[in-house]
């Protein structure tokens, strides 16, 4: 049985008490230098776009008025391909921000101002799916030496870097070598997850679980595990988090919001550019998706962290919190 994270138990009580959003992520642009084999973002014409500098400023000022908000992630596309990246980052570095900002990026380009990144981003998550040039071409559709990414990472010298690897049939054989390359680096975490959003043969899952049994915990590696969403429970994720598309569309989580995987339009809550205040979207989620039946279509794509939130939301709704 998987142990629930203790911080998530408290989040469950916050869900019930309508405290407000705790975390979220925004696809700052749909532009990307990669053409990943299993990513839908660059193939999705319905959500092409980029946030303007002023729209991002408006979002930060909105979140600054949300007392419980803790964590925002910039993702994409690739944030490094965002036209407003440098300008916005300079502004963020001076903004009296109460919440933490993270960036998720392939880091395929050298960082021009490492000190600015270290000042503005509390966390950096680097996506790297291969250990060789050929492997990178198979998984990400472009020719790039992963050693260049690791060099960019070392030059950045950020104190809180995690790597994120999607394990697919195209890179299964490269994972041991990738672990060797990552081992000497001062990383916060080395995260490996199975590819999601597509049907894969039993042989893939057998190979993935073999990797997980062999390497989980070694060199600080963390291999994601399957965790089934209980279809009898309602969804609680959108009560504490949001996912904003590059065109401003609002979704309750990155899975139905199509971060890399296909977007589920039936879960769209509205558009932030048309209504630049997040709290009404959270309230709309609570009204519209208040039953298990209303989220039945996303049961199969629900992932580990979202499942944990749903489990503790259900637990919090059925128990009392005893304070010491």
């Amino acid at each position: 049985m998987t142990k629930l994270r203790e911080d998530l138990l408290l989040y469950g009580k916050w869900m019930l008490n309508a405290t407000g959003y705790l975390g979220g992520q925004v696809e700052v642009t749909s532009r990307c230098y990669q053409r990943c084999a299993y990513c839908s973002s660059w193939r999705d014409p319905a959500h092409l776009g980029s946030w303007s500098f002023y729209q991002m400023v408006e979002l930060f000022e909105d979140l600054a008025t949300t007392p419980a908000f803790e964590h925002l992630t910039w993702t994409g596309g690739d944030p490094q391909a965002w036209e407003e990246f440098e300008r916005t980052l300079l502004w963020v570095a001076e903004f009296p921000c109460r919440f933490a900002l993270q960036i998720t990026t392939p880091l395929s380009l050298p960082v021009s101002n490492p000190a600015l990144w270290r000042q503005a981003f509390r966390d950096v998550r680097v996506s790297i799916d291969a250990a060789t040039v050929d492997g990178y071409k198979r998984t990400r559709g472009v020719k790039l030496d992963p050693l260049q990414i690791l060099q960019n990472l070392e030059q950045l010298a950020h104190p809180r870097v995690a790597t994120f690897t999607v394990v697919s049939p195209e890179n299964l054989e490269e994972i041991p070598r990738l672990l060797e390359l990552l081992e000497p680096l001062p990383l916060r975490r080395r995260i490996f997850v199975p590819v999601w959003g597509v049907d894969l043969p039993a042989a893939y899952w057998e190979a993935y679980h073999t990797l997980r049994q062999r390497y989980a915990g070694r060199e600080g590696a963390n291999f994601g595990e399957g965790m089934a969403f209980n279809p009898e429970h309602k969804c609680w994720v959108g009560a504490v988090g949001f996912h904003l598309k590059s065109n401003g569309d609002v979704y309750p989580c990155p899975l139905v919001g199509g971060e890399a995987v296909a977007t589920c339009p039936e879960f769209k809550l509205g558009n932030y550019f048309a209504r630049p205040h997040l709290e009404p979207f959270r309230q709309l989620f609570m009204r519209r998706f208040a039953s298990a039946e209303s989220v039945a279509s996303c049961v199969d794509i629900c992932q580990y962290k979202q499942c944990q939130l749903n489990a503790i939301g259900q637990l919090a709704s059925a128990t009392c919190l005893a304070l010491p």
Side-chain angles (χ1 to χ4, degrees), residues 251 255-258 262-268 297-298 301:
Y251 286 83
L255 298 171
V256 297
T263 302
C264 301
E266 65 269 28
F267 290 92
K268 177 181 172 180
S297 63
C298 64
I301 63 171

Side-chain angles (χ1 to χ4, degrees), residues 92-218:
V92 167
E94 300 301 324
F95 183 72
C97 194
R98 297 182 300 98
F99 53 87
L101 180 64
Q102 172 180 282
I103 183 173
T104 297
T105 173
L107 205 66
S108 57
L109 300 178
V111 175
S112 59
N113 192 337
L116 180 61
W117 279 51
R118 292 193 292 269
Q119 180 181 355
F121 295 119
R122 180 179 183 271
D123 295 287
V124 175
R125 192 167 78 169
V126 177
S127 300
I128 180 167
D129 292 342
T132 65
V133 174
D134 288 343
Y136 204 91
K137 182 69 167 62
R138 287 195 307 272
T139 57
R140 292 190 163 256
V142 294
K143 188 175 182 180
L144 182 67
D145 190 344
L147 295 179
Q148 179 62 53
I149 297 173
L150 299 183
Q151 182 178 332
N152 296 341
L153 192 156
E154 288 187 282
Q155 290 175 348
L156 174 60
H158 194 286
R160 288 180 57 85
V161 175
T163 55
F164 188 85
T165 302
V166 176
V167 182
S168 67
E170 286 73 18
N171 67 355
L172 272 167
E173 295 182 355
E174 300 219 351
I175 300 304
R177 174 55 181 157
L178 180 58
L179 279 163
E180 292 177 4
L181 294 175
L182 297 177
E183 193 275 332
L185 301 177
L187 300 174
R188 182 171 62 89
R189 296 178 71 191
R190 298 159 179 82
I191 304 167
F192 295 81
V193 298
V195 64
W196 54 63
V198 294
D199 292 326
L200 293 169
Y204 162 80
W205 290 107
E206 183 178 348
Y208 175 80
H209 290 305
T210 298
L211 276 174
R212 185 171 179 272
Q213 291 171 359
R214 182 176 301 168
Y215 293 107
R218 292 173 55 181

